[in-house]
Amino acid sequence: MSGDVLHLLLMALMCWAIIFFIRSIPFLLFGRANSQPPVWLNAVEKWISPAIILGLIVYSYVGLFQKHPPTEHLYGLSEFAAGGLVVILQLLLRNGLLSILGGTVAYMLMLHGGL
Amino acid sequence: MRGLYRKAFIDSLPVMMGYTTMGFAAGVLLSVAGKVSFPAAWSGFLAATSISGTLQFVVVDWFANRSPLLHVALITAAISFRYGFYGFSLLNRWRGIALWKKLYLIWGLTDETYAIESSCAIEDKEDYIRYCLTLTALDHSYWIIGTTVGAIVGSSFTLPSRGIEFSMVALFIAIFTDQVRGLVKGGAK
């Protein structure tokens, strides 16, 4: 097996292990008979999850700007316009796939058009 | 008994629509932008093991860049954080069942499967577990089929790929929009 394939395989297996572990945390912590989770956990879930996703949005915008430097095309306007389109589509139609497709196609068109 | 499987199948139909189309898109993306040979095999393998929509999109970038494992581990933990809370509301209903059943149910605990399982009103414990197992297996297979077929189709055409990495940003923005909507309304998602 080539090193490249091994790297990809390790990546995939690691993702599996991490995700499986995270999914099993409640059962590992409170799986015994009569043990119950504390109530404050609800509040944590409610606020931390969006905070993490917001962090990931920033993180992926940084990655996007490294690949397509904003100085080359209208100072990042197309990135934010496409992002805005995703928000609007998601608010109106509530269909994740349509929002992702719409935003991505719009962004690809703008890049293609030199914006 | 038969009614139970029937109910699981009918309840899984919306998930079938979602997973086959979303999986298809992720599969196309991996074959167009993942820079791997045999994208269909990778796509199906990732789908069968991790069963995570977010991961299936994000992984394309990591595959293409051959990202370092530590980077992959950290982001995987961050995007999967929410899965760590689903089990809490299923603890009592899944308590005391056979270990292999529990492990498979946990393995397949996606956003959609969780939503259906946690709102299902079947009283009898054995029936409920059988229902959950059937539902998980169905959803699992929809996801594998969608991603694999998408990768096969994606690798048989040459599609323009410049800027396609925006799909990952778009996925996060769509998730965030829904989360904020949930918070504003003050109700659960």
Side-chain angles (χ1 to χ4, degrees):
Chain A
M1 195 188 300
S2 77
D4 186 47
V5 172
L6 187 67
H7 184 176
L8 296 174
L9 193 61
L10 277 177
M11 229 188 254
L13 291 174
M14 206 177 59
C15 292
W16 182 17
I18 292 171
I19 293 175
F20 185 71
F21 173 72
I22 290 176
R23 281 173 174 153
S24 65
I25 287 175
F27 303 94
L28 294 174
L29 290 179
F30 303 101
R32 283 161 288 120
N34 298 322
S35 72
Q36 293 298 334
V39 186
W40 55 261
L41 271 169
N42 286 330
V44 173
E45 199 264 335
K46 214 165 152 185
W47 291 100
I48 288 195
S49 230
I52 287 182
I53 297 294
L54 186 61
L56 287 167
I57 292 174
V58 175
Y59 153 86
S60 42
Y61 261 106
V62 170
L64 208 57
F65 285 137
Q66 282 168 350
K67 216 170 209 165
H68 309 283
T71 44
E72 285 173 12
H73 56 281
L74 281 185
Y75 304 99
L77 201 69
S78 34
E79 278 79 5
F80 292 114
L85 180 64
V86 176
V87 174
I88 293 168
L89 284 174
Q90 187 66 14
L91 284 175
L92 290 179
L93 304 173
R94 300 186 180 210
N95 182 323
L97 187 68
L98 277 182
S99 311
I100 294 169
L101 267 179
T104 307
V105 169
Y107 181 65
M108 290 171 76
L109 288 175
M110 284 189 277
L111 271 191
H112 189 72
L115 284 176
Chain B
M1 176 80 109
R2 184 160 277 156
L4 200 69
Y5 295 118
R6 207 182 133 88
K7 177 174 164 52
F9 176 66
I10 290 170
D11 291 350
S12 81
L13 286 175
V15 185
M16 184 200 273
M17 299 301 163
Y19 279 17
T20 47
T21 47
M22 191 71 112
F24 186 87
V28 169
L29 190 68
L30 186 79
S31 63
V32 171
K35 296 180 186 156
V36 287
S37 24
F38 309 111
W42 283 112
S43 201
F45 181 65
L46 285 160
T49 51
S50 292
I51 331 179
S52 161
T54 325
L55 182 94
Q56 197 86 18
F57 277 87
V58 178
V59 87
V60 174
D61 215 40
W62 299 338
F63 266 34
N65 297 324
R66 306 299 196 260
S67 299
L69 293 178
L70 182 65
H71 173 97
V72 171
L74 289 175
I75 308 289
T76 302
I79 60 174
S80 311
F81 181 82
R82 67 184 187 286
Y83 292 137
F85 290 87
Y86 293 165
F88 286 117
S89 58
L90 295 164
L91 276 171
N92 292 326
R93 300 183 84 179
W94 288 2
R95 210 185 290 278
I97 63 171
L99 184 65
W100 72 267
K101 291 182 183 171
K102 205 178 214 172
L103 287 176
Y104 183 60
L105 290 177
I106 293 172
W107 180 13
L109 203 51
T110 61
D111 300 337
E112 292 77 6
T113 308
Y114 163 73
I116 297 175
E117 286 171 347
S118 63
S119 61
C120 167
I122 298 176
E123 289 282 342
D124 184 79
K125 184 155 187 169
E126 230 171 86
D127 281 351
Y128 175 67
I129 295 301
R130 200 170 286 134
Y131 170 85
C132 289
L133 284 168
T134 313
L135 183 77
T136 304
L138 285 170
D139 291 353
H140 195 176
S141 53
Y142 301 150
W143 185 239
I144 296 172
I145 292 168
T147 52
T148 311
V149 172
I152 292 170
V153 171
S155 48
S156 39
F157 294 97
T158 341
L159 294 167
S161 67
R162 187 159 174 265
I164 205 166
E165 60 275 10
F166 185 80
S167 54
M168 185 177 85
V169 193
L171 173 72
F172 291 146
I173 295 176
I175 294 176
F176 186 68
T177 307
D178 280 345
Q179 285 175 330
V180 171
R181 178 171 28 214
L183 284 177
V184 169
K185 282 191 177 161
K189 280 184 292 180

